Amino acid sequence: MASRPLIPGCGKFSGELKKNMPLAEARFMAALKTLTSHASVDPEQTAAIGYCFGGGLVLEMARRGIDLDAVASFHGSLTTSTPAERGKVKARIMVANGADDPFVKAEDIVAFKDEMNSALVSFSFKNYEGAKHSFTYPGADKYGKQFGIPLAYNKEADEQSWSAMDRLLRLVFERHNR
């Protein structure tokens, strides 16, 4: 992802966690357990969404076969050292990417799509034209200028990607409730 962090310290944190996926998975599972133990949550109907580092992380958890019904990644990393395997991914996956995001290379997109197709994963991938990294965050322009990195909010891409996620969740959970 970005060579310089948006928030001081976050690059170091995310870099270290990316190098230690067993720890990332343990933390994810602890959070999932906390969430699904809440009285208002149906533990049989779960989804994970993530932005930037979190977007890459939810894709990693889906690749690892974590029991999720859906995963939505917004401007997240697509690369992995542990590609999806046929029959392992349980989640339906949605990726919302900025077509003008320099942190996600064209070859990463091709490799991700090939990986998902080879593993027979149900997924959608949308490249939002004119959208850069952090296109869902209204404060992105400010941070982009402050840190000298190509970030920009894109209202249209933000709204369209949120609607796409809403459709995914409705589809997945309506099927679950039939």
Side-chain angles (χ1 to χ4, degrees), residues 105-117:
K105 307 289 184 221
E107 57 268 22
D108 297 339
I109 294 169
V110 170
F112 174 79
K113 289 178 178 180
D114 287 348
E115 172 195 352
M116 293 296 116
N117 286 324

Side-chain angles (χ1 to χ4, degrees), residues 4 6 139-152:
R4 294 191 308 193
L6 294 178
D141 297 65
K142 173 186 157 197
Y143 285 110
K145 287 177 186 164
Q146 181 179 351
F147 293 104
I149 53 179
L151 309 178

Side-chain angles (χ1 to χ4, degrees), residues 2-174:
S3 59
R4 294 191 308 193
L6 294 178
I7 301 168
C10 76
K12 182 178 179 186
F13 168 78
S14 62
E16 290 300 315
L17 202 53
K18 184 101 174 150
K19 289 182 208 170
N20 189 345
M21 289 312 293
L23 177 61
E25 182 176 349
R27 288 181 177 178
F28 185 91
M29 293 306 295
L32 184 60
K33 181 179 178 185
T34 298
L35 175 71
T36 57
S37 68
H38 193 275
S40 67
V41 174
D42 180 348
E44 300 300 315
Q45 296 186 49
T46 57
I49 66 172
Y51 296 81
C52 189
F53 173 71
L57 190 62
V58 297
L59 290 174
E60 285 294 329
M61 295 303 108
R63 286 172 168 121
R64 290 169 173 266
I66 303 300
D67 191 16
L68 298 163
D69 296 297
V71 162
S73 172
F74 296 85
H75 42 84
S77 174
L78 303 176
T79 59
T80 186
S81 59
T82 322
E85 297 173 17
R86 191 175 291 192
K88 191 169 185 178
V89 177
K90 298 172 181 74
R92 187 168 177 152
I93 294 175
M94 181 203 100
V95 174
N97 187 64
D100 295 337
D101 184 344
F103 303 127
V104 178
K105 307 289 184 221
E107 57 268 22
D108 297 339
I109 294 169
V110 170
F112 174 79
K113 289 178 178 180
D114 287 348
E115 172 195 352
M116 293 296 116
N117 286 324
S118 293
L120 302 177
V121 174
S122 177
F123 79 101
S124 65
F125 183 96
K126 174 72 174 169
N127 236 355
Y128 291 92
E129 293 301 321
K132 293 182 180 178
H133 194 72
S134 295
F135 65 83
T136 60
Y137 179 54
D141 297 65
K142 173 186 157 197
Y143 285 110
K145 287 177 186 164
Q146 181 179 351
F147 293 104
I149 53 179
L151 309 178
Y153 178 64
N154 184 309
K155 186 177 188 328
E156 185 177 354
D158 180 22
E159 291 173 355
Q160 288 177 9
S161 62
W162 187 263
S163 291
M165 183 195 63
D166 183 60
R167 287 190 302 276
L168 169 68
L169 296 178
R170 288 177 190 276
L171 174 72
V172 167
F173 293 130
E174 283 174 4

